[in-house]
Amino acid sequence: MVQVSRKLYLMALKRLQESLWNPVLMHKDDTLGASMALAMYEAMESPSQTEKGYLSHVNGLARLIELRGPEAHRTGLGHHIFIAFRYTEVNTRRSFRSPGTGDLSCQILQAVGRNQASFLATPQWRSLPFEMQPKNSLGRLLDILTCGPQSMEEPRDLDVLSPSHRLQTLLKMARQCWKLERDLQRFYQDLERSAVGALYWPLPSRLFESDSSIDDDRAIALHFADLSMAQLFMFYWAILGMVWKGLTQLHEAISQIQLPILFAPSAGGNPGEGDTPAAERPWSRYDMSQLPQLGHRKDYGSMARKVCQSFEYCTQDEMRGVGPTVPPASLGLSYRNVKDEPRYYAETQWLESSLDALSRKHVGFAKHIKSVKTGPEWSEIL
């Protein structure tokens, strides 16, 4: 059966390429639908055995949607595929990234700051596809990410900056990151105000009900009104965890910067450090009370635990083949946010076992999430 499906997949790829070469067929919804279907097949079966095949489909979809223009995605099949792609594109840019760009907390700052040069961040693409059908909650959350801070500095070459310039760069990043965190919190508060009942609720986990040795977190499974709400909250928690880690590392980096204390110059000199040898100059550190307190945000692994607690709901039998397609992206974001940190060893193991379970359910690209190479830790860059 697998061999037959792959043969059909290759045939479909050939037909899709022929349609893309045709200037009339290229812009039809059917061609867009075929492109999305093949991307989903690559995600589920992973015939290329690497993440590159899936990324190639996502990049191709992005180019095709951009060429069609925002007006082509206001109604019908085009609109529904655009909605699905918008979530896929934002997720993919954060789940699979090139080596050497720092850890995920760094990446969320970079990606939101420069919006990955994505056409989705432009006013036309944020409005025209939604003229006929308003955005849902997930669409509004994606707006926060794609329309986030526009001038975020990338944390590269910080080691060559003077202490004062380094401090100013990190403070700017911290302010942007705190704004993003406030926007996410307001989004959640709006959901609470508009909800008729509970947004989600805990139930005893059926996966671990026979294991008396499990901790309290694993004993609980979070349940939702439907899969769309599960997708929304898993993604929200994964992103919030990344932002919290970014804030934690930014605060740590800022607190470690030493600044020379300026004093009166020697005769005829300029204001500044005067003639005092560097080793004898007094130093000061930034007053961290000028920044908001991190508080509970230091435990950014708590968001990974919520994502894991949501996994059981998505993969229960009644969700059939659709449910297992919801968790991979959020699991991947959370995994890359806490992996290799000793204090989050239990969370890392929980995330890995969840990704392995998805692989057994034929969600092919789940197995690639753990193997994608990562760059240096952000603490090394800072």
Side-chain angles (χ1 to χ4, degrees):
M1 184 66 73
V2 173
Q3 293 301 321
V4 172
S5 71
R6 291 186 178 180
K7 182 178 179 180
L8 294 172
Y9 170 70
L10 293 174
M11 292 173 59
L13 275 177
K14 182 179 179 180
R15 295 292 184 269
L16 175 60
Q17 188 61 64
E18 292 172 354
S19 297
L20 292 173
W21 286 338
N22 186 307
V24 176
L25 295 178
M26 182 184 72
H27 292 89
K28 288 188 173 296
D29 284 357
D30 291 345
T31 302
L32 181 64
S35 184
M36 175 61 85
L38 292 177
M40 292 306 299
Y41 178 85
E42 183 72 49
M44 300 300 289
E45 295 298 330
S46 190
S48 64
Q49 298 302 308
T50 72
E51 74 278 3
K52 293 179 180 178
Y54 176 68
L55 290 174
S56 177
H57 278 292
V58 173
N59 291 332
L61 267 169
R63 183 58 178 155
L64 179 57
I65 287 175
E66 185 176 14
L67 288 172
R68 284 163 49 95
E71 297 87 353
H73 303 93
R74 289 183 294 184
T75 60
L77 180 62
H79 177 76
H80 290 294
I81 292 177
F82 174 74
I83 297 300
F85 167 76
R86 193 166 180 247
Y87 172 74
T88 299
E89 197 267 354
V90 171
N91 254 308
T92 301
R93 301 304 178 213
R94 289 157 175 79
S95 294
F96 299 105
R97 60 195 175 87
S98 301
T101 56
D103 63 20
L104 267 198
S105 57
C106 173
Q107 185 215 1
I108 185 67
L109 298 178
Q110 292 179 339
V112 172
R114 65 177 183 266
N115 285 322
Q116 295 288 345
S118 174
F119 63 92
L120 295 177
T122 63
Q124 295 91 338
W125 282 99
R126 296 200 309 265
S127 59
L128 292 179
F130 302 98
E131 286 183 339
M132 308 294 291
Q133 303 181 55
K135 295 173 186 172
N136 58 14
S137 296
L138 181 58
R140 293 191 293 275
L141 176 57
L142 292 174
D143 272 352
I144 294 174
L145 299 179
T146 59
C147 309
Q150 297 294 313
S151 57
M152 187 80 75
E153 296 282 351
E154 293 186 31
R156 60 177 59 176
D157 299 329
L158 286 176
D159 55 332
V160 303
L161 298 178
S162 67
S164 60
H165 289 163
R166 182 182 173 97
L167 175 62
Q168 292 305 313
T169 298
L170 292 177
L171 286 173
K172 181 179 180 181
M173 292 171 64
R175 287 192 292 269
Q176 301 274 17
C177 201
W178 274 111
K179 181 183 183 304
L180 178 58
E181 203 269 350
R182 290 193 298 272
D183 289 342
L184 290 170
Q185 296 293 357
R186 280 195 293 268
F187 169 80
Y188 184 85
Q189 292 164 4
D190 290 343
L191 283 179
E192 284 188 314
R193 283 192 291 268
S194 61
V196 176
L199 295 173
Y200 58 91
W201 55 94
L203 292 176
S205 171
R206 291 185 292 180
L207 293 178
F208 304 102
E209 59 186 355
S210 60
D211 187 351
S212 59
S213 64
I214 63 170
D215 56 36
D216 292 341
D217 287 326
R218 289 203 179 205
I220 293 174
L222 298 180
H223 284 244
F224 307 84
D226 52 43
L227 273 175
S228 64
M229 292 301 291
Q231 179 187 47
L232 172 67
F233 278 101
M234 292 181 77
F235 186 52
Y236 171 81
W237 289 324
I239 293 296
L240 191 60
M242 293 164 65
V243 174
W244 285 1
K245 182 175 183 177
L247 284 169
T248 300
Q249 293 184 324
L250 279 167
H251 278 229
E252 175 63 22
I254 291 169
S255 70
Q256 296 302 313
I257 294 179
Q258 291 185 322
L259 297 171
I261 298 177
L262 303 182
F263 52 90
S266 57
N270 295 317
E273 297 170 354
D275 301 324
T276 307
E280 300 176 13
R281 296 171 191 160
W283 297 84
S284 67
R285 294 183 187 272
Y286 181 77
D287 180 7
M288 295 301 292
S289 67
Q290 300 298 311
L291 292 174
Q293 298 300 301
L294 289 172
H296 63 279
R297 299 170 187 85
K298 292 180 181 179
D299 183 19
Y300 44 85
S302 62
M303 296 296 98
R305 294 192 288 274
K306 282 187 173 292
V307 170
C308 288
Q309 288 173 332
S310 309
F311 174 79
E312 181 176 325
Y313 172 82
C314 299
T315 55
Q316 54 190 326
D317 290 341
E318 48 265 46
M319 298 303 176
R320 300 185 181 276
V322 178
T325 65
V326 169
S330 298
L331 288 172
L333 295 174
S334 300
Y335 174 72
R336 304 177 75 75
N337 206 39
V338 301
K339 69 184 293 287
D340 301 327
E341 294 198 34
R343 66 168 173 153
Y344 291 131
Y345 176 80
E347 287 81 0
T348 299
Q349 294 297 304
W350 195 357
L351 289 160
E352 286 184 346
S353 65
S354 299
L355 288 167
D356 290 341
L358 287 177
S359 295
R360 293 192 294 271
K361 289 180 176 290
H362 303 289
V363 182
F365 80 102
K367 63 186 176 185
H368 303 310
I369 291 175
K370 295 190 297 180
S371 61
V372 176
K373 294 180 180 179
T374 60
E377 286 295 311
W378 198 17
S379 56
E380 298 176 20
I381 299 175
L382 296 177

